[in-house]
């Protein structure tokens, strides 16, 4: 399905992701708390990157900096569109953020929660409804469109939050431990669904987590952060197939990948 945007262009299902580059990024809070120290990283267009680290290590701060919700004390952050030189405002509009809490509006049903970002940027009611339904279908919730948040399970609420992020067809999707509060089975199903969405939509994804198995299953590449102040202590490519099913988690190859990440994390604990 192709849908017209307010300028008359067509939004196709697959769009090129953005390139994200951080150079010498430092974030200090008053009076003397340093959350992030000298971080350099690059996420290439269309890459799925996981940021792994212990609780309180500065992962969420790093994600907020990339999203433009906070500013670095030192260093530069560039989010660039490979297809056009967009203005800062346009680039920000193509970044979507999924938080640990779904943050749904209780007085809006699923369709109206998902359509909210489009409404706020001036789309017509007909366009917002059509695009919201498409995003809802992508996360497997078509039969729950008219339900309200208090009628949904935790996993369903998180899928609504993901649909709301996807409805603007972002080139960069940032996720801050979105599945952390869910039970293991629901969490694994959503991880599989997120991989499928990334594969079909082509966006760049940066996923923050403290779960080693989650990072290994989801990402093409994993960055490991030290304890605060956060620095990158490992940059590891995940050697797994692009298509990842539930069965992959039981294989020796998957165990090997998680073991390697565990060793890096363990060394940080003992440092």
């Amino acid at each position: 399905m192709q849908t017209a945007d307010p300028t008359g262009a067509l939004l196709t299902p697959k769009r090129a992701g953005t390139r994200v580059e951080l150079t010498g990024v430092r974030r200090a809070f008053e009076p003397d708390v340093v959350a992030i120290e000298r971080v350099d990283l690059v996420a290439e267009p269309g890459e799925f990157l996981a940021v792994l680290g212990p609780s309180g290590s500065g992962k969420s701060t790093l994600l907020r900096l990339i999203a433009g919700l906070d500013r670095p004390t030192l260093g530069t952050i560039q989010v660039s569109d490979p297809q056009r030189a967009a203005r800062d405002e346009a680039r920000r509009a193509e970044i979507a953020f999924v938080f640990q809490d779904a943050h749904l509006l209780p007085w809006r049903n699923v369709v109206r929660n998902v359509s909210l970002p489009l409404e706020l940027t001036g789309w017509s009611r007909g366009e917002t409804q059509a695009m919201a339904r498409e995003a809802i279908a992508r996360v497997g919730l078509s039969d729950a469109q008219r339900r309200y948040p208090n009628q949904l399970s935790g996993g369903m609420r998180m899928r609504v939050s993901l649909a709301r992020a996807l409805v603007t067809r972002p080139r960069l999707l940032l996720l801050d431990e979105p599945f952390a509060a869910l039970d293991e089975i629901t969490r694994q199903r959503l991880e599989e669904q997120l991989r499928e969405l990334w594969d079909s939509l082509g966006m760049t994804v940066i996923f923050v987590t403290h779960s080693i198995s989650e990072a290994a299953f989801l990402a093409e590449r994993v960055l490991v952060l030290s304890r605060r102040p956060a620095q990158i202590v490992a940059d590891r490519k995940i050697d797994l197939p692009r298509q990842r099913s539930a069965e992959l988690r039981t294989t020796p190859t998957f165990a090997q990948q998680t073991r390697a990440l565990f060793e890096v994390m363990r060394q940080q604990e003992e440092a």
Side-chain angles (χ1 to χ4, degrees), residues 75-125:
T76 61
I77 300 172
Q78 293 184 321
V79 179
S80 56
D81 187 329
Q83 294 188 349
R84 71 173 190 271
R87 294 175 301 174
D88 287 345
E89 293 82 359
R91 285 203 299 269
R92 282 197 294 270
E94 295 194 333
I95 299 173
F97 203 126
V98 178
F99 297 89
Q100 186 170 341
D101 191 302
H103 293 297
L104 303 180
L105 299 178
W107 59 88
R108 281 180 169 245
N109 63 22
V110 168
V111 171
R112 297 198 63 215
N113 263 291
V114 173
S115 65
L116 182 61
L118 300 175
E119 294 175 23
L120 295 175
T121 51
W123 294 63
S124 73
R125 183 177 177 85

Side-chain angles (χ1 to χ4, degrees), residues 28 41 133:
L41 73 83
R133 289 192 182 96

Side-chain angles (χ1 to χ4, degrees), residues 189-208:
R189 286 174 180 166
L190 287 175
E191 289 168 4
E192 293 156 22
Q193 190 168 43
L194 178 58
R195 278 284 306 189
E196 292 169 2
L197 288 166
W198 165 74
D199 191 44
S200 65
L201 295 175
M203 59 205 163
T204 305
V205 177
I206 301 179
F207 189 104
V208 158

Side-chain angles (χ1 to χ4, degrees), residues 195-237:
R195 278 284 306 189
E196 292 169 2
L197 288 166
W198 165 74
D199 191 44
S200 65
L201 295 175
M203 59 205 163
T204 305
V205 177
I206 301 179
F207 189 104
V208 158
T209 181
H210 62 263
S211 168
I212 292 170
S213 62
E214 185 168 67
F217 184 84
L218 283 172
E220 302 297 289
R221 189 170 132 238
V222 176
L223 301 181
V224 180
L225 299 185
S226 67
R227 290 197 173 277
R228 195 170 69 184
Q231 294 180 298
I232 296 174
V233 294
D235 183 343
R236 183 176 177 83
K237 183 179 183 299

